[in-house]
Amino acid sequence: MADGDRFDEELLTSVLSEFAHTLASRFEVSEVLYRLVEHVIQILGVDGAGVSVVDENGKLRPVTVPNELTHKLESVEEAHQQGPCIDAFHHADVVSVEQLDEVSHQWPDWCKAAAELGVHAVLGIPLRAHEQSLGAMNIYSHETREWSAGEIRVARVLCDMAASYVANASALDQAERTAEQLQEALESRIIIEQAKGVLAAEQRITVEEAFLVLRRHSRTHGVSLRAVAHAVVTLGLRPGS
């Protein structure tokens, strides 16, 4: 352990191993981010930590509030869009403050709330993956604290692991949505072919003509072609009869 570091290296190794196993499984993104802040609090022995992620309008929104301290400070930061987390996100760099009194002019509203809650030191760690800024994490200490290089490195490693999971999960979700849509298209084809066969046989028309009957009914009634075909096959619908 380097001078100034306040964490147990054996605990760090254990937590990193557990977190790595978590990331290898299919967890919801929110669950991974909650585990991130829990691990940071456990390893660094701090009083709170919270992750905020960017929304569609480019603003940071808190997603993990493990305790009341975090809830209050993250709420103020969200309302005023000012604070260490905001700066870490926009500058894509660590914001390290040993004593908040020295930067009260920087984030006046946030620092006032922090002082009222007895927070005197903070770390802001960017959450980035593949050169993309996803959000940031705040780490809170009631004591003034000289954040060591080792502590910052640990926080960054955990954030990088979580950010990679979030980015990869988003890509995986997109791939799964595409696969589901493709599967749905395949299933639609089967039911449509069955409906064409039913109409062709009963109305003594060609399958091409049967398809036109299905399509006409679909457009006239504003429903999908698959829904019409399903009704023909399972509900006895006979369009055009």
Side-chain angles (χ1 to χ4, degrees), residues 54-189:
V54 64
D55 67 10
E56 64 275 8
N57 298 314
K59 292 187 176 182
L60 287 190
R61 306 296 185 196
V63 291
T64 63
V65 283
N67 55 29
E68 189 64 18
L69 168 67
T70 302
H71 172 70
K72 289 180 178 178
L73 286 179
E74 302 286 295
S75 296
V76 172
E77 194 164 49
E78 178 185 16
H80 297 279
Q81 289 295 299
Q82 66 170 231
C85 199
I86 304 295
D87 283 8
F89 169 73
H90 286 299
H91 299 303
D93 201 2
V94 173
V95 173
S96 175
V97 181
E98 300 174 8
Q99 192 165 334
L100 280 173
D101 291 347
E102 298 175 355
V103 295
S104 58
H105 62 284
Q106 222 171 308
W107 317 302
D109 297 299
W110 189 87
C111 283
K112 179 182 177 182
E116 291 172 352
L117 293 166
V119 171
H120 293 288
V122 66
L123 264 182
I125 308 290
L127 202 66
R128 290 174 57 80
H130 313 309
E131 302 303 316
Q132 179 184 4
S133 292
L134 306 176
M137 177 174 64
N138 276 332
I139 303 171
Y140 307 113
S141 172
H142 283 313
E143 303 174 358
T144 57
R145 183 161 176 161
E146 183 178 349
W147 304 101
S148 70
E151 290 170 334
I152 294 173
R153 188 161 54 248
V154 166
R156 293 201 76 155
V157 166
L158 289 170
C159 276
D160 287 347
M161 290 172 67
S164 294
Y165 181 92
V166 171
N168 292 334
S170 296
L172 180 59
D173 286 345
Q174 180 60 51
E176 288 183 345
R177 283 195 295 273
T178 301
E180 289 170 358
Q181 290 167 350
L182 292 175
Q183 183 60 37
E184 183 175 290
L186 289 172
E187 293 170 355
S188 295
R189 174 177 173 250

Side-chain angles (χ1 to χ4, degrees), residues 38-60:
E38 289 166 355
H39 289 326
V40 165
I41 291 171
Q42 181 184 13
I43 294 173
L44 299 186
V46 291
D47 299 292
V51 172
S52 293
V53 298
V54 64
D55 67 10
E56 64 275 8
N57 298 314
K59 292 187 176 182
L60 287 190

